[in-house]
Amino acid sequence: GGGGGAGGCAASLPSDCKLLPDGDVVSSTASKLAKHTTPYAATDAAESEPALPEELLAWPPPPLHIPAAPRRPTAWWSPTSLQELLALKASLGERGRIVTGASEVTIEARYKRRSADAYLSPSRVPQLVACEDGAKGLTLGACAPLSDVEALCEAAGRARPGCEGEAARACATMLRWFASTQIRNVASLGGNIATASPISDMIPTLLACGASLTAASEARGERTVPLAGFVTGYRRVALEPDEVIVSFFVPHCAPLEFVRPYKQARRREDDISIVSCALRVRLEPAQREGRGVWVVSDAALAYGGLAPTAVLAAKTADKLRGCTWDAAAVDALLPAVMSELAVPHDAPGGQPEYRTALAGSFLFKFFVATSASLATVAPVGSPPPPLVAEADASAAVSWLEEPKPASGGEQRFPHASYPGLESQSPGGKTAWGIEGPRAIEPPTASEKEARRGGDGGLAPKGSSGADSDRVRVVGESHPHAAGRLHTTGEAEYTDDVRPPAGMLHAWLVRATVAPASILRIDAAAARAMPGVADVIFASDLPPGGQNALGPVAKDEECFADGHASHVGQVIGVAVADSIEAARAAAEAQHQAAGGEGEQEEGYPDGGPEPEPEEGRDEEGGGERGGEGGEGELSGGWPGEEPGERAVVRQRDEDAPPPDPVERLCAVPLAARVLDQQRLSGPEAASVARAYARLDVPVEGGDDLAARSVVPLVVVAAVRPAEPDPVAGQTLGHLPNVAAAHEGKGDGAPARLDAVVLEVNHLPRCRRATRL
């Protein structure tokens, strides 16, 4: 501000700021919302928006079918009746995927390359989107948006303030923190349950509530399935290919029945659970040892994130039934539930001890919470609620039940004048000769006009632009320049721009194995695919073309040339007239990267090692599988059929180059590792084709003249867990070893002094080791 002190800037403050008595300026979210929020109907964008087509306003909407096309191989169906949907599912089976929010289907299509012949949208089928609060429970449409399900559960919980509404409130509580508002507006309960994620938030909640579902098919009609028997394994459910989940039923709770959901995540908003759980107990008063107590008549403990599927702690629940509901009984059950649900040390996701401890922690929190609730819902004359230590009373609080207000904040910044450093008069100088703050000149007429036109046509109607005449304050915050464009939907993104004629799309071809040498590439099949303009590799660069990249030193390759040093390295690029065609060409090249030759360091999919081909030597001669040897490797995606268009050679870069002196001094015995195979002498000779010169003592003489050199072939299978062979053992004592003698000395008793064995230490790393 131009003036000194608090009064010098009071007149220049913007309307969304206020001046504190100490001279500081405060700007808050609430004040900005009051100033900058404009109804969309009051903007120029609303006036220029085209009218919604009448076809989209028709209700009920007609069925919709978008057939497949060469560039869009998947058809789209949007039926309007359950009969139509079941007929389509019966015809398509697993090739027809039902989509609502499409988050899981999108991941499968993009990253798992799982395609479908047709997508079926059930959002227009009344039975699948209807939600109802009935006398016995909630009926939730399988494809109803989660925001609608949440609203119904909240209303049902308010309408039943006692224990009867516990299940509805538990579902609403968990759904409040389920993803974001945008996701809940399109995602469905049926999609979440059918995905059968082990860390699902809703599966444990519905399991604890005793929910069931209705599935229907055209051939067999409807059937009811308890949710406890619906999830059969990791990402597997008891749903036939022609069946559709129609609805879920969540029964209301009985008197003195309590349900609480719990969730532990790394953050509250938009995060998957580390462990999720929902616990339910039904209590009844009883007399034991001459005093009134609460006894558990029924219980269900459901957990997610502790096993490949959401699980019910059935053993602990059995122990809990009939027990007195007090701190001593719960303390005794904590080791039981943690033992029943113990997470293995090698379980995916890690943190096994922490996740196991959460199972007991949630049970204890549940006990404290229900004990506190008993004091308000128990009938008159009932036993007193269980005693809870004062230090443990805070365990009844769960962040899932806390208010979830809109984000906001307050910014506080000091006045622009600093006494002692700057002069209080505009344009003055301090004692050090530094110029003080200068008075800000009012904007010119052209500047005012520019500011009035800077809202992109979205200024509120009737705006006078009077704020442009005021003095700006240092530190004042403003809405993002494109904020109004984003909130009104007028912002233009890349996908909104009409592509120019002849525009091409690209998809990278990447290395799937490494380190590897690229021997040859055949892209003829990929280049012949529809819509593909070309598939380009380093060998396709014109003479004098530049393949080197780098911001300063050009020390990186654009396309791998002759050698791939890491998985994912760019080998080439497929160019086509659509992104789908380019991706298909790149993936076809991936599938074709292999076929000829062998893989010497383990299959990408973890399969067994291939046996060597009979009588085949590597290029340049030499022994197969010896120390520092090389072998051809066929690349490719895990699980794909090998092709015959590209061959790479895998090398063990950790193995040092052979030293001539060392080779002369070492016992020149080569061995080929086979997976637990015991071969006869002729078979070993024909498979390994490795000969070794080994001094073998001949019976009847120890002098050097009586010693003969016998070519041997040793085929051994040695696992690292077994004791290593040591020098001095006879060949007959080595595990899984067969020796073949050829020529002179056949049948002589052999004594093994040293051996070089190639051992499969790691799944993808085989190296020669001298034992």
Side-chain angles (χ1 to χ4, degrees):
C9 94
S12 62
L13 279 176
S15 59
D16 58 349
C17 296
K18 65 179 179 178
L19 185 65
L20 300 181
D22 59 2
D24 285 354
V25 178
V26 172
S27 173
S28 65
T29 302
S31 61
K32 282 184 169 53
L33 288 174
K35 175 185 177 182
H36 296 290
T37 299
T38 303
Y40 178 68
T43 63
D44 294 335
E47 291 185 348
S48 60
E49 181 179 289
L52 194 65
E54 294 184 0
E55 292 79 4
L56 297 180
L57 296 175
W59 191 263
L64 177 64
H65 175 219
I66 303 176
R71 304 289 177 80
R72 189 184 59 253
T74 303
W76 177 272
W77 293 85
S78 184
T80 57
S81 68
L82 182 58
Q83 292 74 16
E84 294 174 353
L85 178 62
L86 296 180
L88 286 170
K89 203 69 174 74
S91 174
L92 295 169
E94 293 183 348
R95 296 179 291 111
R97 302 295 306 280
I98 294 181
V99 295
T100 50
S103 58
E104 188 72 18
V105 172
T106 302
I107 292 174
E108 291 177 351
R110 183 171 181 83
Y111 298 106
K112 301 179 182 179
R113 302 195 308 279
R114 180 180 176 182
S115 59
D117 290 352
Y119 291 136
L120 313 179
S121 173
S123 59
R124 300 183 180 189
V125 178
Q127 295 93 324
L128 271 68
V129 297
C131 295
E132 181 184 0
D133 179 11
K136 295 184 178 181
L138 304 175
T139 300
L140 309 175
C143 295
L146 289 178
S147 54
D148 292 351
V149 176
E150 179 188 1
L152 177 74
C153 292
E154 286 182 350
R158 289 192 301 266
R160 295 169 173 81
C163 290
E164 187 182 9
E166 284 281 310
R169 287 191 291 273
C171 293
T173 298
M174 187 61 83
L175 285 173
R176 287 173 66 235
W177 303 95
F178 190 103
S180 63
T181 302
Q182 296 92 328
I183 297 299
R184 290 196 300 272
N185 285 343
V186 293
S188 67
L189 198 58
N192 180 255
I193 303 303
T195 301
S197 170
I199 52 175
S200 169
D201 293 339
M202 291 307 298
I203 292 181
T205 304
L206 296 178
L207 280 175
C209 294
S212 60
L213 62 89
T214 299
S217 66
E218 186 181 44
R220 296 174 300 279
E222 293 187 350
R223 65 184 179 107
T224 300
V225 183
L227 188 61
F230 183 67
V231 180
T232 59
Y234 177 74
R235 302 278 184 175
R236 296 197 305 272
V237 295
L239 195 67
E240 298 299 327
D242 62 339
E243 281 186 314
V244 173
I245 303 176
V246 178
S247 62
F248 295 87
F249 179 75
V250 183
H252 293 312
C253 289
L256 299 177
E257 191 170 27
F258 301 91
V259 182
R260 292 289 187 279
Y262 295 96
K263 173 178 178 176
Q264 185 64 35
R266 289 172 175 80
R267 63 177 183 268
R268 296 187 180 186
E269 300 278 356
D270 297 338
D271 199 7
I272 60 176
S273 301
I274 299 174
V275 174
S276 63
C277 121
L279 309 175
R280 176 180 59 86
V281 293
R282 185 186 305 160
L283 305 177
E284 58 184 21
Q287 291 289 328
R288 291 187 177 179
E289 299 180 357
R291 62 187 181 91
V293 295
W294 291 100
V295 176
V296 179
S297 61
D298 192 20
L301 315 177
Y303 290 86
L306 300 178
T309 65
V311 293
L312 285 165
K315 296 180 181 178
T316 305
D318 290 340
K319 295 179 181 178
L320 190 58
R321 295 184 184 96
C323 287
T324 302
W325 188 243
D326 57 17
V330 172
D331 287 342
L333 285 173
L334 294 181
V337 69
M338 289 189 291
S339 175
E340 182 179 358
L341 303 177
V343 179
H345 70 280
D346 57 347
Q351 300 177 289
E353 297 88 357
Y354 176 60
R355 290 155 64 188
T356 302
L358 285 175
S361 174
F362 288 153
L363 179 58
F364 179 76
K365 288 176 67 70
F366 179 59
F367 163 72
V368 177
T370 54
S371 299
S373 299
L374 264 176
T376 60
V377 300
V380 178
S382 298
L387 294 177
V388 176
E390 184 178 355
D392 298 332
S394 62
V397 179
S398 172
W399 62 267
L400 290 177
E401 300 173 354
E402 293 179 0
K404 188 180 179 183
S407 60
E410 186 176 87
Q411 182 182 13
R412 178 169 176 164
F413 49 90
H415 185 262
S417 179
Y418 298 91
L421 177 63
E422 300 171 342
S423 171
Q424 298 301 303
S425 59
K429 293 187 177 181
T430 65
W432 297 278
I434 302 175
E435 291 188 359
R438 297 183 178 274
I440 301 177
E441 298 294 335
T444 63
S446 59
E447 291 174 340
K448 293 180 182 180
E449 184 63 28
R451 291 177 183 177
R452 289 193 184 98
D455 288 328
L458 295 178
K461 292 184 292 186
S463 176
S464 63
D467 284 345
S468 62
D469 294 333
R470 64 174 172 78
V471 176
R472 301 286 178 174
V473 176
V474 176
E476 178 188 358
S477 56
H478 300 274
H480 191 279
R484 288 178 177 171
L485 295 173
H486 292 161
T487 54
T488 59
E490 294 296 299
E492 192 175 62
Y493 294 87
T494 303
D495 284 346
D496 298 324
V497 179
R498 183 181 297 275
M503 187 179 77
L504 298 177
H505 302 259
W507 198 278
L508 297 177
V509 180
R510 299 179 179 272
T512 58
V513 291
S517 295
I518 303 173
L519 302 184
R520 63 182 177 273
I521 298 175
D522 183 0
R527 288 171 177 150
M529 297 179 68
V532 176
D534 202 354
V535 184
I536 304 169
F537 302 92
S539 58
D540 299 318
L541 295 177
Q546 181 62 259
N547 192 34
L549 300 173
V552 180
K554 308 298 182 183
D555 55 354
E556 297 182 14
E557 291 181 325
C558 178
F559 302 129
D561 189 5
H563 179 78
S565 58
H566 61 86
V567 173
Q569 184 174 358
V570 177
I571 297 178
V573 59
V575 184
D577 57 7
S578 69
I579 192 65
E580 294 81 9
R583 180 180 182 179
E587 292 179 352
Q589 193 63 39
H590 287 153
Q591 297 174 15
E596 298 183 7
E598 295 179 352
Q599 181 168 333
E600 299 254 346
E601 295 200 8
Y603 286 125
D605 59 358
E609 298 274 342
E611 294 185 10
E613 295 180 18
E614 178 176 344
R616 179 170 179 176
D617 291 337
E618 295 300 323
E619 295 180 3
E623 300 169 349
R624 290 183 62 89
E627 189 169 7
E630 298 178 351
E632 291 185 338
L633 167 69
S634 60
W637 290 97
E640 298 290 350
E641 293 296 330
E644 298 182 353
R645 298 178 181 83
V647 178
V648 293
R649 174 175 294 181
Q650 186 97 4
R651 299 185 303 189
D652 188 353
E653 294 190 344
D654 294 336
D659 183 73
V661 178
E662 181 181 359
R663 293 191 64 175
L664 288 174
C665 296
V667 177
L669 176 65
R672 173 72 178 171
V673 177
L674 298 180
D675 293 333
Q676 299 300 311
Q677 295 189 25
R678 188 177 182 87
L679 304 181
S680 63
E683 290 174 327
S686 61
V687 171
R689 298 184 59 81
Y691 293 88
R693 293 184 174 275
L694 178 67
D695 289 344
V696 179
V698 179
E699 290 188 28
D702 292 330
D703 56 311
L704 293 178
R707 302 174 72 85
S708 60
V709 177
V710 181
L712 293 178
V713 174
V714 178
V715 180
V718 181
R719 287 179 291 184
E722 298 176 349
D724 293 339
V726 295
Q729 289 184 314
T730 62
L731 284 175
H733 293 158
L734 281 174
N736 301 321
V737 172
H741 294 230
E742 293 185 357
K744 182 180 178 180
D746 188 18
R751 183 175 181 82
L752 183 64
D753 295 318
V755 64
V756 177
L757 293 176
E758 188 182 8
V759 181
N760 189 7
H761 287 290
L762 299 174
R764 295 195 182 186
C765 181
R766 304 183 65 175
R767 58 190 64 183
T769 305
R770 182 178 299 117
L771 304 178

